[in-house]
Amino acid sequence: MLTRTEAEIGSLVTAGLRNREIASRMFVSESTVEAHLTRIYRKLGLRNRAELSVHVAGPGELSVRVAGRGEPSGISPL
């Protein structure tokens, strides 16, 4: 189960943004983005950005279960 922040970062990655660009949009450091990505990969059993993109449920959409919610959440990239 991904947090909302992890889901948002995952969506931005699948949209093709680099860590620096994601950090700038979310007002966090690059190392924070990297830490979130590490948790995303571990939770989803993935190894890298390419596998994350393949894991995406539909074009431009990351379908995840958001922590604290029972329903899937499709979050479109910005």
Side-chain angles (χ1 to χ4, degrees):
M1 198 176 324
L2 299 182
T3 65
R4 287 194 182 280
T5 301
E6 291 167 348
E8 183 176 357
I9 288 173
S11 292
L12 293 171
V13 166
T14 61
L17 275 69
R18 296 172 188 226
N19 290 358
R20 179 174 292 163
E21 296 168 316
I22 294 168
S24 176
R25 280 195 187 194
M26 298 187 70
F27 304 103
V28 297
S29 70
E30 279 186 72
S31 61
T32 299
V33 173
E34 291 167 4
H36 281 296
L37 284 172
T38 298
R39 284 191 295 277
I40 291 167
Y41 299 153
R42 187 180 65 239
K43 287 179 179 182
L44 299 179
L46 307 173
R47 291 178 292 178
N48 54 45
R49 299 171 98 84
E51 288 185 4
L52 179 58
S53 294
V54 170
H55 187 77
V56 171
E61 191 173 20
L62 180 62
S63 181
V64 297
R65 288 194 171 273
V66 176
R69 306 235 185 248
E71 72 251 13
S73 171
I75 300 174
S76 299
L78 300 174

